Each structure stands twice: as structure tokens, then as C-alpha cells.
Amino acid sequence: MNIVACVKQVPDTEALIKVKADGSGIEEGGIKWVMSPYDEFGVEEALKTKEKFGGEVTIVSIGPARTMETVRTALAMGAEKGIHIDDPALYNADAYATASALAAAIKGIPHDIIFCGMRAIDDDSGQVGSILAELLGLPSVTVITKLDIEGSTAKAIKPIEGAQLLIETSLPCVITAQKGLNEPRYASLPGIMKAKKKPVEVKKAADLGLTVEQKSTVAKMSPPPARPPGKIIQGDDPAAKAAEVIRLLREEAKVI
Amino acid sequence: MAKGVWIVAEQRDGALRKISFEIASTARKLADELGDEVCAVLLGSGVEAMAAELAKYGVDKVFVADDAALEPYTTDAHAAAVAKVVKENDPAILLLGASVQGKDLSSRLVGKLATGMASDCTDIKIEGGKLLATRPMYSGKTFGDIVVSGTPQMASLRPNVFPAVENAKAGEVVKFDAGLDAGALKTKVLEVQKDASGKIDLTEADVIVSGGRGMKGPEGYSVLEELAGLLGGTVGASRAAVDAGWRPQSDQVGQTGKVVSPNLYIACGISGAIQHLAGMSSSKYIVAINKDPEAPIFARADYGIVDDLFKVVPELTAAAKKIL
């Protein structure tokens, strides 16, 4: 089976994010970069699918030179090869432009199933997997916690508000992964050594026949609005403190 | 030229979801500023009667497609139907809810309509005749103001953030043919397993009582359940509690869990790691109960109690019982 997993390199979840003074983006200095956690679930599912049905996993990623580390991490986990799209026109691109670039790269390779994370934890837009599916003319099943493939049929569990859906679709398709789908493996030391020799093609947008077209822009970034300092209820008696909070919620906040 | 503020209403099992009224009311506000009308797309089987409810929240026209292939929701059927009616009518703005279904549908529509979208917005307005949408990025560590250059300008709105305001309009029903070829649809819902507990989903709850590492084990959650039940809310958990196996994944609030915006969020034994704050900092009021006075959660809380949660929470329940 020809399996593709799309990954994005993002700041570590623990990273402190500072907005540049002019609001044009974030300060990148001192940030530790990692594979977006939801993409790890996608890569793991891609590897499990390969282990079950045979075939190859190709990693596709977009970003500056440092992105190669994330591609190598996925190769160290067990993927066979990578495509790294490194083009300044695509750094910080919107969802449509990002999906267009992924689609252009994936169109050129055989693909029976494509995995993406449900969202990247930097821009948090959560759109790319679905747009990619549309651009490739494939069905998409998003934000899933279980996947079973049989022949050319895929069955997936998708939690929704107050229920779970069992959805069936046909391969080829795009799947977006959420937490609960699996436990991503760690790269082993031999895996890391082997990954260094695995092939990764580096491409520019033009190599993919792509003209980058953004449909939305971040006009300005700002730090989150400051919350006014809260009230710590003083005292030694839990009952008195609890009664005071209930009173405040009722009379001041008016939320109960 | 593109004109009008459109929404896609969300219904399930014959009833409109609350998010539909939130986006209808927001669309009304934007349309009034632009001097435009609000149109809703309503899809399903036997759904026409719901148009009147949308009208109550400021919808001028409801485009209804009644087709068995639109029930229950599937990505490909709904995306095809919405894309068809949107292309025929060329609205300037298209809003959806950032619910599970709305996120799936809106993203697919971005591809079909070749446009841009600000997803999971917490604020939205018109500036210079254009949509300006504000949304949390980097899990709420920053906010971005998004401008969409494609048409329609799309945004999805975070549930529970925008008020639903009654403002009755005509709600004229315009029927359209979804134009679906049932044979060409590639996704199918085989089964809907309803959550037997009848638990309110975290993303839709007005009150959430959440427990973290300080709960010390799964048993402790019964005191949270009691308080949540009394306040008409539901129970959530931090990643630490979910990873420890004390609570199911569906209860997790945070960067790798759910993003919630209740009126009241009561954090019990939760230190307030940045991953957790990412999921709940758009709550309207936050109460923190923690033994550690240095816990970062107190910096985000409106009201804090530094004490043992197992002593405080039952007292909260007792005090609430007296007034409710």
C-alpha cells in the first residue's frame, strides 16, 4: 500500500510564544521545534497500516530548512522516504496555499491513503486535511479515534458532541488523526541512524508546478488580552471560603 | 458582486443545534452593519419546519434542501449541497459553527470554494466593509486578526462564545435542489452510538467542573460530579488525569483535548500547565481550587481558593444547594 503522512514542524507545546513588536508574527528565537502532536498520531497510524498491509510510507512536509529534522524524525519512526517542500513563499502560508502545495506533491506519487493531524498546534486552523482531500478529489474522514481498513474500504470512529459515529469510506482517502487513535512510537537509536540515509527530496513550489495563492492572511498578531487579577479568597475555614465563592458567582459574576 | 451574509445551520435528529442560533445572531449583526440580508442554508430530510426557528434569530431567507441523502450528515453530501447554493448566490460572507460537524464541513468548503477561512473565531466584526476575524493561535498563547481575500470570506465561530439574540425576521423559505448523485457519494455513516450517560458535551456546557492531578485517582471525581450536576454542568479533566487513566479522552480539556468556553469553569487540583490553559482560557469565569498558592492557574482565575479541594468542593456543593 502507498501511504502518505503529512507533518508540520511547530513550536513545542511548552514553548513561550512572544509576538513580534510589530505584530507581524512570533519571535522564533529560542523555540524548540517539534512535530505537531496530532501529526505524530497520523505518522503512527501510517506505520501501523504499512505493518499490516505492506508498502511504503512517504512523509510530506512544508517549511524552512529546520523542517528537515521533523521529516527525519518521522523517517526514524519508520517511514521510508520524504518530500520536503522548502519555499519562502510557503512559510506561514494559509491553509489553502498549504493544502495546494501538499496536493501538488502528492499528485506526483502513488497514494492509497493519506494521513494528516487534525490540526497543527501553531496556527490551529484545522483545515488542511479537508482542503487537501478536496483538491485531490478524495473523500475525507476527519478527527478520528479508530481506523479499520479492509480491502478498499476504511471504517473510522469519529466522536461528535454526545455520540460516536462509525463512518465508512473508500480508498484512496484522507484521514485526519486525533488523540486516542494510537500511541505514537519513539524513534529507536537504530531507527535514527537509518533515517539519516533515507531519501528526502527537497522541492520548491515551482518544481511542483505550483503558483502560491493565499486566500487569507494574518493581518496582525497580538498577545492574549490580559485578564484582570483575580480574587484569592482568604481564611482558614473551607466552608466559609466556599460560601464566599458561591456568593460571588451568584451576585458578582451572575453565572449561577 | 458578492453580497449578503450567509450561514450554514446545523441540525441533528430533527432539531437545530444551539450553535445555529449563535451564528445566525452574529450574521445578523454583521449584515446590519453592511446593510445586507442574512441567508441560512438548511440541509437534511424533513427540515423545512426549522426555518421558522432560524427566522427568530434574524434570518431573512432560508435556503432549504430536502434530500434523504443529506440525512444524517456526511462531509461529501453536505459540502456538495452548500457549495452549489453558495456558487449560485455568491454571498460576501459565509459563517459556520466551529462544532465538530461545522469544522469538518467548513474546511471541506474552503477547498470547494477555493477561498480562505478564519477558523474557531472568538470575535468578528466588519472593518472597511470587510470581515475582520479574531482567533486564538498557538493554543491561545497569541491572537490573530484574519483578513480573507477569497470569496466568500469564511469564518467558523467557536461555540458558546457568541450570544444568541432573538431578532425576528421573515425567514422566507427558498427551496433548492442539492443536485446530489447518491451513487457518487463516498462517505456513509454506518452507525451512531449515542453516549448512554447523556452527559453534556464539554464544548456545549455552560458550567464545567474539571479535575486534574490533585484528584489523586478516579474515585475523587464523584465530588466533582455532584457539584457539576447541581450547577447543570458537566465534568472535565486535565491531560494528567486522562493520561493516568482516571477519565476518558473525551473529557480532556486543553491543547490536545477540547477547547471549551463555558460561563463558569471550576478547576480543581489543576496546576494550570500551559496546555491546559490553552483549552479553557476563553471561559467567561474561572474558579481555581488548589493547595499550591503558586499554581499558575491562580493567575488566570477570577476567584481562587488555596486549600484542599476535597474539603472545599463538598462545601461549594453545600453552599450552592442553599441558593439553588
Side-chain angles (χ1 to χ4, degrees):
Chain A
M1 195 179 296
N2 296 296
I3 304 157
V4 177
C6 302
V7 302
K8 185 175 187 183
Q9 191 183 50
V10 299
D12 180 57
T13 53
E14 301 287 346
L16 285 172
I17 300 294
K18 275 173 101 177
V19 177
K20 284 185 191 161
D22 63 0
S24 64
I26 63 158
E27 297 279 6
E28 295 202 349
I31 285 179
K32 182 183 164 208
W33 298 91
V34 299
M35 187 187 304
S36 184
Y38 295 107
D39 297 345
E40 291 184 8
F41 300 120
V43 171
E44 176 62 32
E45 203 63 20
L47 296 173
K48 282 171 70 179
T49 304
K50 176 188 76 176
E51 284 154 6
K52 195 162 171 195
F53 299 100
E56 276 193 339
V57 176
T58 304
I59 303 299
V60 186
S61 190
I62 302 174
R66 58 172 157 75
T67 304
M68 186 61 93
E69 287 165 41
T70 292
V71 175
R72 294 278 175 211
T73 301
L75 297 177
M77 287 168 75
E80 275 65 31
K81 54 191 177 185
I83 300 175
H84 173 193
I85 306 166
D86 182 353
D87 194 319
L90 286 162
Y91 302 167
N92 300 314
D94 76 339
Y96 189 84
T98 301
S100 301
L102 293 174
I106 294 169
K107 261 178 202 160
I109 57 174
H111 50 271
D112 298 308
I113 189 160
I114 301 164
F115 292 95
C116 300
M118 62 179 265
R119 66 166 190 266
I121 60 154
D122 52 358
D123 60 28
D124 286 325
S125 88
Q127 303 174 34
V128 168
S130 299
I131 304 172
L132 172 63
E134 180 62 34
L135 296 176
L136 292 172
L138 301 180
S140 50
V141 186
T142 59
V143 196
I144 68 155
T145 54
K146 191 169 190 296
L147 180 69
D148 281 309
I149 300 170
E150 228 183 278
S152 62
T153 301
K155 286 182 189 171
I157 299 267
K158 173 179 172 108
I160 61 170
E161 299 88 353
Q164 286 201 346
L165 306 179
L166 176 62
I167 300 175
E168 183 184 86
T169 193
S170 56
L171 267 49
C173 64
V174 175
I175 298 289
T176 78
Q178 79 155 310
K179 192 177 174 186
L181 180 61
N182 53 45
E183 283 294 329
R185 69 195 67 187
Y186 290 101
S188 64
L189 193 58
I192 294 168
M193 298 312 289
K194 270 191 233 161
K196 291 180 181 166
K197 290 187 190 135
K198 290 180 177 172
V200 180
E201 289 180 69
V202 180
K203 299 200 171 186
K204 296 250 178 255
D207 301 332
L208 300 166
L210 181 76
T211 315
V212 177
E213 200 187 348
Q214 302 240 30
K215 302 289 187 180
S216 67
T217 45
V218 182
K220 188 169 165 266
M221 268 195 208
S222 21
R227 261 188 119 93
K231 241 180 236 178
I232 300 288
I233 314 301
Q234 303 296 334
D236 295 322
D237 177 15
K241 288 189 281 190
E244 175 61 2
V245 164
I246 293 295
R247 186 191 70 78
L248 288 165
L249 290 174
R250 179 75 156 192
E251 293 173 12
E252 193 176 81
K254 300 188 171 72
V255 288
I256 61 170
Chain B
M1 192 184 133
K3 203 168 156 41
V5 181
W6 280 51
I7 68 165
V8 180
E10 182 174 334
Q11 61 89 13
R12 201 197 298 171
D13 301 332
L16 286 162
R17 310 282 295 174
K18 184 170 153 234
I19 184 71
S20 300
F21 306 124
E22 296 170 11
I23 48 178
S25 301
T26 308
R28 183 72 260 163
K29 208 172 130 217
L30 300 180
D32 286 345
E33 280 186 52
L34 291 165
D36 267 351
E37 58 178 11
V38 175
C39 299
V41 183
L42 177 58
L43 307 175
S45 182
V47 291
E48 195 181 322
M50 290 176 218
E53 271 189 86
L54 289 168
K56 271 193 223 160
Y57 291 87
V59 176
D60 298 298
K61 269 186 205 159
V62 186
F63 287 78
V64 180
D66 214 303
D67 189 326
L70 291 167
E71 203 74 59
Y73 169 85
T74 60
T75 315
D76 41 5
H78 279 238
V82 177
K84 179 172 182 270
V85 71
V86 163
K87 281 180 184 163
E88 284 165 3
N89 292 277
D90 193 23
I93 292 172
L94 178 62
L95 305 180
L96 288 94
S99 54
V100 177
Q101 180 177 312
K103 282 179 181 167
D104 181 69
L105 177 59
S106 60
S107 304
R108 191 85 201 196
L109 283 169
V110 169
K112 273 203 187 304
L113 300 169
T115 185
M117 172 168 75
S119 38
D120 207 16
C121 300
T122 52
D123 195 14
I124 197 162
K125 60 185 170 198
I126 301 292
E127 218 172 81
K130 294 271 291 177
L131 192 68
L132 186 71
T134 303
R135 55 183 302 269
M137 298 175 74
Y138 296 89
S139 310
K141 295 174 198 172
T142 70
F143 279 69
D145 290 339
I146 312 295
V147 175
V148 178
S149 47
T151 307
Q153 304 165 73
M154 286 182 66
S156 66
L157 308 188
R158 182 174 287 187
N160 255 356
V161 171
F162 296 84
V165 184
E166 291 202 26
N167 180 357
K169 297 286 171 189
E172 177 201 341
V173 171
V174 184
K175 290 191 186 179
F176 76 100
D177 177 6
L180 298 173
D181 169 6
L185 298 174
K186 287 182 180 159
T187 52
K188 195 159 67 177
V189 176
L190 298 180
E191 207 180 312
V192 180
Q193 300 159 339
K194 293 220 168 101
D195 182 357
S197 68
K199 188 175 186 290
I200 309 165
D201 191 81
L202 287 166
T203 59
E204 296 177 326
D206 288 328
V207 176
I208 295 173
V209 184
S210 225
R213 207 185 294 274
M215 300 306 298
K216 298 201 178 92
E219 307 76 21
Y221 281 83
S222 59
V223 299
L224 307 191
E225 300 276 5
E226 198 185 351
L227 178 59
L230 185 66
L231 299 175
T234 194
V235 169
S238 71
R239 187 172 87 181
V242 171
D243 286 351
W246 302 343
R247 300 296 289 184
Q249 172 62 36
S250 56
D251 277 5
Q252 187 184 323
V253 173
Q255 196 161 19
T256 49
K258 287 180 176 157
V259 176
V260 299
S261 310
N263 288 329
L264 174 59
Y265 190 90
I266 305 180
C268 307
I270 290 177
S271 64
I274 200 151
Q275 299 98 314
H276 190 74
L277 299 175
M280 45 65 83
S281 49
S282 59
S283 304
K284 283 162 210 91
Y285 280 87
I286 297 170
V287 174
I289 302 152
N290 202 300
K291 270 199 278 200
D292 175 10
E294 303 299 322
I297 189 79
F298 286 119
R300 298 292 183 99
D302 298 281
Y303 308 120
I305 296 180
V306 182
D307 211 326
D308 179 355
L309 74 97
F310 290 105
K311 288 183 187 151
V312 174
V313 176
E315 295 295 347
L316 285 173
T317 306
K321 264 185 192 153
K322 284 185 196 155
I323 60 159
L324 294 173

